[in-house]
Amino acid sequence: MCLAIPGKLIELTTENGLKMGIIDVNGSKTRACLEYVPDIKVGQYTIVHAGFALKIIDEEEAAESLKLWQELIESGAFQPDDELPLPGSV
Amino acid sequence: MPTPMRYIDEYRDPGLARKLLDEIRRKATRRWTIMEICGGQTHSILRNGLDQLLPESIELVHGPGCPVCVTPLESIERALAIAAREEVIFTSFGDMLRVPGNAKDLFMVRSTGGDVRIVFSPLDALQIARDNPSKEVVFFAVGFETTAPANAMAVWQAAREGRENFSVLVSQVMVPPAMRTILSSPGNRVQGFLAAGHVCAVMGYEEYEPVAREFHVPIVPTGFEPVDLLAGILKTVELLEEGRAEVVNRYGRVVSREGNPVAREIMAKVFEVIDRPWRGIGMIPDSGLGLREAFARFDAEKKFHVSNICARESPLCMSGSVLQGMLKPDGCPAFAKECTPAHPLGATMVSSEGACAAYYNYHTTVS
Amino acid sequence: MTIAPTCPTPIMQHETVQMAHGAGGRLSQVLMQRVFMPHLSNAFLDLLDDQAKLDLPSGRTAFTTDTYVVSPVFFPGGNIGELAVNGTVNDLAVGGARPLYLSAGFVLEEGLLLAELETIVRSMAEAARRAGVMIVTGDTKVVGKGQCDKIFINTSGIGVIREGVNLSCRNLKAGDSIILSGTVGDHGMAIMTSREGLSFQSRITSDCAALNGMIASMLDEQPCAIHAMRDPTRGGVAATLNELASSSSVGIEITEKTIPVKPDVRGACELLGIDPLHVANEGKLVVAVAADNAREALDLIRSFDLGRDAVIIGSVVDDHPGMVVMRTLYGSRRIIDLPLGEQLPRIC
């Protein structure tokens, strides 16, 4: 239901008394309201929904879980080059 | 090779996705029916064809988590009535413009002279109110808990500025009451849930713990990328296989148990919990948010006296059963016949994340 | 005693377009001499006749028309004027024609800044020069404030198709390779992100460009191997592929991982929930070419600046006639349907 995309805070601003910022999403820059992430610092990633930063991305957690998944890949007998069986008739 | 998009591309890794699919295949010893609550997840599952790649033992049913789909017809009719007024600039997320009322949608109101504008943020609607002091600017405040803080902030800020030419038409709904409704229904087939990651970003997952206990279902908050979704499905399957009715978070980079307390605080100051009808499902007690008395002057329903507008659904549309996971979109007799994205009978065919539209757009079975 | 009535002389110097600029009188001439002729002047237009009299080289004549309305009128990477020239040049070129002559019809909104109009006309002249075409006839009308959005431009074009070239969207054959000449979605996202009210700060640049030079080289090298070309404008690559598949009653299969998208375009598409395959391009080409010649065609396209990111995105198949199917990153398949209409930013 809710499209929220990760982006990097590159600049802090204020508009009409609200804490705002410029978020870089892969080179596209958008304005977002930062009132709900008061502790955010420039350089941190946040997810943006409807022009609002909703949560600072937990970088440590992300790195940790990716590492776990990577281990899963390496542990398995799975061959990454295997083609998956093709889905039914197209 | 372009630079990867951080926190997106890692979670679109085909190798990782295959490994997770393999694990799901290995872990599932019997049939399981899992509902992804969120329409954004439905969209991602079908867009990436994950449903085709899962073992046959895993059935995904698509939940009601699409604000476009569950906003009741009378709210749409009220929006259309307000948008048609001469003094009004009606603002909305792009999602709502094609949602049909009984006879028209917001595009048609625009074509007959209504000033209807698309905004990306509710604060953009407020800016339009600042720029047009002689106009009444109305924002269609739809959404689940993810969008509620944004909508709340627009109202909060309007109150702070004393902006009297701004109001909101609220159709805010919440996930847990809908889950309870689905689980309590006699026809329920859902055995486990993927909880909507971005709702949980705001609300946390604490409130799902009683649901898991009470109905004995595992609930796994997860994200929207293929690896997130597959990791969520894998965890749900593991919990189901082990008979554990627990909430286990699989979206740790964004979701914590307590969610975002700052956002919830403003939400609670602006909104209160109310009963709310869901399109296709009906009234669900305590499932919606309405403006508190202190913000009543920003309530577009009151300002424009449209509370009395009622509406009736097409009798052919079975979106209620689709939204509750009892019927697959292509099981509806009207699917792709009387009902298509160009001529939708119900909202599930309108929203690109509505289950019916997603089936229509992405489904690979060619007759 | 004599009375010498002295009426005030009408103002002849304006900063904005007046209704009288389109009324055919003195002010119309002023507009012509001050704004249009300095930039567009050529042997045909200078005659100021109501029509251009043309001698066309031998061969079949291609004739096309298109009307340009775009908001905002000025966008990163171009403006409505060069869009109107390049668009019509491309519509001729993708049919295998060498574009020669264009007409330009203007609908101006009362109050449009003459300086803006001049910028637009100047870029039309430059675009025409770059594409090697002449604007040989034209017309201007002015409508009241609010009756159009600053400026609408219609351009029609005439070109000549060389011997032996037969491009048609009905010519696709199973086995053909589908080449895409570069990144998708640049123009549409440049427009969308420069509209007000969408909170964007970025400057995604439109890909607006004339393709006739590149196309002429391709037809010189491989006149028979190229079966069809289209410029994927409104509706994007998705719409173009669907049109090709349906016109030729063939299926098209493409591979998701081959589709090139610029990073910032991708970022904006993710943020707004828009599929880049549905977004308009104004300087890209979709080519169906016989499989044996595909590599050579690709190399040739890549030798042009406009085609340096070209890739083979898929092929034509006998299966599922009329449908476009994409192999996803994960090996699954999904149908690429025609987009429904205007692309809308969404939150869900």
Side-chain angles (χ1 to χ4, degrees):
Chain A
M1 63 199 79
C2 307
L3 194 68
I5 296 297
K8 184 181 183 176
L9 179 65
I10 54 170
E11 194 184 324
L12 287 165
T13 58
T14 307
E15 274 175 52
N16 304 296
L18 292 176
K19 181 171 178 172
M20 302 286 287
I22 311 285
I23 311 280
D24 181 312
V25 180
N26 217 33
S28 256
K29 292 165 190 64
T30 183
R31 269 163 61 241
C33 177
L34 304 179
E35 285 288 323
Y36 296 135
V37 286
D39 302 328
I40 194 166
K41 293 180 195 67
V42 168
Q44 282 185 312
Y45 280 78
T46 173
I47 56 161
V48 182
H49 169 78
F52 280 72
L54 285 186
K55 203 84 163 73
I56 301 171
I57 289 183
D58 186 336
E59 307 202 11
E60 261 174 48
E61 216 289 340
E64 189 70 22
S65 65
L66 270 181
K67 208 176 110 205
L68 279 176
W69 283 331
Q70 213 56 46
E71 282 168 13
L72 202 72
I73 283 196
E74 282 153 17
S75 72
F78 178 79
Q79 298 299 313
D81 293 333
D82 281 358
E83 279 289 311
L84 282 166
L86 270 185
S89 65
V90 168
Chain B
M1 187 67 195
T3 9
M5 206 168 157
R6 195 143 176 229
Y7 298 114
I8 287 197
D9 282 336
E10 304 95 300
Y11 304 92
R12 289 185 184 171
D13 183 300
L16 208 44
R18 285 172 186 175
K19 178 64 195 169
L20 289 163
L21 280 161
D22 216 38
E23 280 294 304
I24 293 168
R25 202 170 287 124
R26 212 165 58 79
K27 287 277 166 64
T29 62
R30 46 159 291 192
R31 288 190 71 83
W32 295 112
T33 303
I34 300 169
M35 173 180 274
E36 82 279 359
I37 283 286
C38 171
Q41 293 177 334
T42 304
H43 188 79
S44 178
I45 287 165
L46 295 172
R47 185 183 157 79
N48 294 297
L50 302 183
D51 54 332
Q52 305 162 30
L53 303 174
L54 283 167
E56 276 191 12
S57 53
I58 306 300
E59 185 190 355
L60 292 180
V61 293
H62 314 307
C66 158
V68 176
C69 303
V70 301
T71 297
L73 197 54
E74 56 254 33
S75 291
I76 307 290
E77 288 295 332
R78 287 166 193 173
L80 297 171
I82 294 171
R85 296 172 71 108
E86 205 165 311
E87 77 276 25
V88 166
I89 299 174
F90 193 86
T91 57
S92 167
F93 297 128
D95 311 57
M96 300 305 290
L97 266 73
R98 268 192 212 110
V99 186
N102 273 334
K104 35 182 191 182
D105 59 26
L106 283 166
F107 271 126
M108 290 159 85
V109 171
R110 191 167 77 177
S111 70
T112 49
D115 191 344
V116 178
R117 302 187 193 179
I118 296 171
V119 291
F120 179 60
S121 162
L123 293 180
D124 296 336
L126 190 56
Q127 186 59 43
I128 294 175
R130 286 187 201 107
D131 295 342
N132 296 274
S134 63
K135 289 281 197 171
E136 279 292 335
V137 175
V138 182
F139 176 66
F140 201 175
V142 299
F144 277 79
E145 294 95 320
T146 320
T147 319
N151 294 346
M153 183 59 80
V155 175
W156 182 258
Q157 182 68 7
R160 235 173 48 165
E161 294 178 17
R163 186 116 352 246
E164 299 299 328
N165 68 327
F166 179 77
S167 58
V168 288
L169 179 63
V170 182
S171 183
Q172 284 279 167
V173 284
M174 295 188 295
V175 169
M179 279 171 86
R180 288 172 183 278
T181 301
I182 290 164
L183 288 166
S184 311
S185 146
N188 173 52
R189 300 160 53 229
V190 179
Q191 295 164 298
F193 283 97
L194 300 181
H198 295 146
V199 165
C200 296
V202 173
M203 303 302 289
Y205 57 82
E206 197 178 351
E207 60 177 349
Y208 294 92
E209 288 167 356
V211 181
R213 270 197 305 276
E214 211 176 304
F215 293 92
H216 203 77
V217 287
I219 301 175
V220 178
T222 190
F224 295 73
E225 302 306 332
V227 165
D228 289 317
L229 287 161
L230 293 170
I233 293 168
L234 175 60
K235 186 36 95 184
T236 312
V237 169
E238 284 171 357
L239 292 171
L240 284 166
E241 290 283 343
E242 291 162 23
R244 285 158 58 201
E246 293 167 24
V247 180
V248 179
N249 184 16
R250 271 288 169 269
Y251 200 24
R253 66 186 185 278
V254 168
V255 172
S256 61
R257 186 162 185 268
E258 70 282 2
N260 184 333
V262 190
R264 287 219 309 275
E265 191 188 321
I266 298 275
M267 255 172 87
K269 280 182 177 156
V270 173
F271 293 124
E272 61 189 354
V273 176
I274 56 167
D275 299 345
R276 189 102 217 164
W278 292 49
R279 191 169 190 177
I281 298 179
M283 183 64 79
I284 303 180
D286 295 335
S287 69
L289 295 172
L291 287 170
R292 287 189 184 278
E293 194 50 43
F295 297 93
R297 67 186 187 283
F298 298 103
D299 189 341
E301 253 179 58
K302 296 198 173 100
K303 200 174 210 173
F304 299 99
H305 311 289
V306 291
S307 311
N308 55 338
I309 294 179
C310 297
R312 224 186 356 212
E313 292 284 354
S314 159
L316 288 178
C317 178
M318 305 180 76
S319 63
S321 303
V322 172
L323 289 171
Q324 294 181 74
M326 293 176 208
L327 183 74
K328 289 266 181 182
D330 50 6
C332 170
F335 179 78
K337 296 189 182 77
E338 292 91 343
C339 185
T340 63
H343 295 281
L345 292 180
T348 43
M349 187 56 99
V350 178
S351 158
S352 61
E353 66 166 30
C356 296
Y359 261 61
Y360 190 93
N361 289 330
Y362 297 138
H363 224 264
T364 54
T365 321
V366 178
S367 50
Chain C
M1 185 175 154
T2 55
I3 297 169
T6 53
C7 301
T9 323
I11 298 170
M12 298 298 286
Q13 301 270 23
H14 294 88
E15 289 189 348
T16 57
V17 169
Q18 308 293 305
M19 291 302 286
H21 278 129
R26 187 85 57 85
L27 269 184
S28 294
Q29 282 186 6
V30 169
L31 191 68
M32 198 63 195
Q33 282 153 11
R34 273 194 41 210
V35 180
F36 289 103
M37 291 313 280
H39 300 290
L40 297 177
S41 165
N42 60 45
F44 296 95
L45 216 49
D46 291 352
L47 296 176
L48 296 175
D49 279 331
D50 276 348
Q51 70 297 118
K53 302 176 189 76
L54 310 168
D55 293 311
L56 296 178
S58 67
R60 293 168 71 205
T61 304
F63 180 40
T64 186
T65 188
D66 206 342
T67 302
Y68 295 82
V69 296
V70 60
S71 174
V73 165
F74 294 91
F75 47 82
N79 64 49
I80 190 170
E82 55 184 295
L83 195 65
V85 170
N86 291 338
T88 291
V89 164
N90 291 345
D91 283 347
L92 289 169
V94 294
R98 183 159 71 92
L100 296 170
Y101 303 113
L102 263 51
S103 69
F106 296 84
V107 177
L108 308 178
E109 185 188 18
E110 179 186 21
L112 172 69
L113 286 174
L114 283 174
E116 287 191 340
L117 177 61
E118 186 164 2
T119 306
I120 291 166
V121 172
R122 190 189 306 120
S123 15
M124 288 181 83
E126 285 163 7
R129 226 174 345 263
R130 277 196 301 270
V133 296
M134 272 197 260
I135 297 170
V136 293
T137 185
D139 177 55
T140 304
K141 297 285 187 299
V142 178
V143 296
K145 183 104 190 143
Q147 290 182 299
C148 92
D149 187 3
K150 285 191 168 182
I151 176 169
F152 298 158
I153 303 176
N154 172 278
T155 47
S156 296
I158 290 178
V160 173
I161 302 171
R162 64 179 79 193
E163 285 300 319
V165 168
N166 181 23
L167 299 182
S168 161
C169 55
R170 287 182 300 278
N171 284 352
L172 272 67
K173 291 175 186 58
D176 284 0
S177 295
I178 304 287
I179 299 176
L180 172 63
S181 70
T183 53
V184 294
D186 302 13
H187 177 73
M189 293 318 285
I191 297 294
M192 190 174 283
T193 55
S194 48
R195 282 196 185 134
E196 288 166 31
L198 284 182
S199 300
F200 272 93
Q201 310 264 320
S202 46
R203 288 181 52 87
I204 290 174
T205 308
S206 167
D207 55 352
C208 178
L211 298 162
N212 55 326
M214 184 164 85
I215 292 173
S217 291
M218 293 168 68
L219 294 176
D220 282 344
E221 297 290 322
Q222 302 176 308
C224 302
I226 293 167
H227 294 160
M229 288 190 213
R230 272 288 170 100
D231 53 335
T233 54
R234 279 176 307 174
V237 169
T240 296
L241 292 176
N242 271 284
E243 283 157 19
L244 291 172
S246 121
S247 300
S248 295
S249 297
V250 292
I252 293 179
E253 298 217 344
I254 60 171
T255 311
E256 184 171 21
K257 69 174 174 215
T258 61
I259 310 285
V261 188
K262 284 202 179 115
D264 54 351
V265 172
R266 189 175 159 219
C269 283
E270 294 281 355
L271 202 58
L272 299 176
I274 287 171
D275 187 337
L277 284 176
H278 287 169
V279 181
N281 311 279
E282 288 292 345
K284 296 293 159 24
L285 201 54
V286 170
V287 188
V289 55
D292 289 346
N293 305 80
R295 190 68 232 180
E296 201 184 323
L298 183 68
D299 289 343
L300 180 63
I301 296 176
R302 282 185 177 166
S303 72
F304 286 83
D305 202 34
L306 286 174
R308 63 179 182 275
D309 299 323
V311 279
I312 296 175
I313 58 167
S315 58
V316 178
V317 295
D318 279 325
D319 291 344
H320 53 76
M323 287 177 77
V324 181
V325 173
M326 180 159 88
R327 170 83 78 105
T328 70
L329 294 178
Y330 309 95
S332 55
R333 290 167 164 195
R334 76 169 150 105
I335 292 171
I336 303 295
D337 210 349
L338 273 177
L340 190 60
E342 188 184 347
Q343 293 301 299
L344 304 175
R346 58 187 179 93
I347 56 134
C348 61

